[in-house]
Amino acid sequence: MTAAAPSPRRAGAPHNASADDGYACCALVSAAGTVEEASGPEGAHVLRGAPALVGYARALLAAGRPAVRFWWRSPQAEWLNVTIAAVQGDPDQAEVTLERSAPPYDLTSRELDVLTLIAGGLSNQEIASRLFTSPKTVSTHVEHLLHKLGTPTRAGAAAIAAEQGAVRLPVPGRGHRLESLADRKSVV
């Protein structure tokens, strides 16, 4: 039995990450949507069961963007910090790294939803409508997340979300997609 050739890696990807640092797995996605193992079978297994993640990788390649980072909740209700990066030297492949972790800044799931929608430019009233809650409840979530992010303004929160990939995909709630959010996703 021969050893598999090492996979192409993006700059900064962990080579020997352990469970202690939250590293879960990674896999490669082609522009055509095929998935292959990169660091064991787990990453490819997760991606084959998550066509939306494969779609995000394909969209990144089609857009010619170098990388994107966001949060995704698996069907098992596990939070994953997802980084999708174009493979250097191969414009038709992206490496998808899935890292098990709670949402950033000690945000609750609902606060991450609200932060994502703030980054998409929605008002409290619009967020409340999407999330089937009251504007007062949204206002409380906004107050909490501003405190946790250490910023006094919604614009500051949106900037942190965009710069650090502290957004959730798919975009939470009902309603139209947030095209403005696609322009603001974190580029690493």
Side-chain angles (χ1 to χ4, degrees):
M1 186 154 113
T2 60
S7 69
R9 306 216 38 99
R10 65 176 169 78
H15 293 289
N16 295 315
S18 69
D20 295 336
D21 61 14
Y23 181 74
C25 53
C26 66
L28 298 173
V29 175
S30 74
T34 58
V35 175
E36 63 182 81
E37 297 175 5
S39 67
E42 187 181 0
H45 174 75
V46 170
L47 289 179
R48 287 185 184 111
L53 290 178
V54 173
Y56 298 145
R58 294 180 70 198
L60 175 100
L61 292 170
R65 307 262 323 243
V68 66
R69 189 172 61 217
F70 57 89
W71 292 85
W72 180 72
R73 195 155 198 176
S74 74
Q76 296 77 26
E78 179 177 57
W79 280 107
L80 298 172
N81 185 352
V82 178
T83 302
I84 303 173
V87 173
Q88 293 177 359
D90 188 350
D92 292 329
Q93 276 203 323
E95 182 180 73
V96 180
T97 303
L98 308 168
E99 186 177 352
R100 290 182 193 96
S101 181
Y105 296 98
D106 204 26
L107 296 173
T108 65
S109 296
R110 185 54 91 184
E111 288 166 349
L112 184 59
D113 291 347
V114 171
L115 179 57
T116 299
L117 297 172
I118 287 172
L122 273 61
S123 68
N124 285 2
Q125 182 67 43
E126 292 167 320
I127 293 170
S129 176
R130 284 184 74 107
L131 299 179
F132 300 103
T133 191
S134 73
K136 174 94 171 102
T137 299
V138 171
S139 178
T140 300
H141 288 308
V142 170
E143 190 176 310
H144 291 164
L145 71 87
L146 290 176
H147 176 74
K148 289 178 180 181
L149 295 173
T151 184
T153 65
R154 293 169 68 95
I160 290 168
E163 289 171 5
Q164 299 182 16
V167 296
R168 176 185 184 171
L169 291 180
V171 173
R174 64 176 173 89
H176 299 289
R177 292 180 20 207
L178 297 176
E179 280 73 18
S180 61
L181 184 59
D183 296 333
R184 298 178 191 174
K185 281 190 213 115
S186 170
V187 176
V188 281

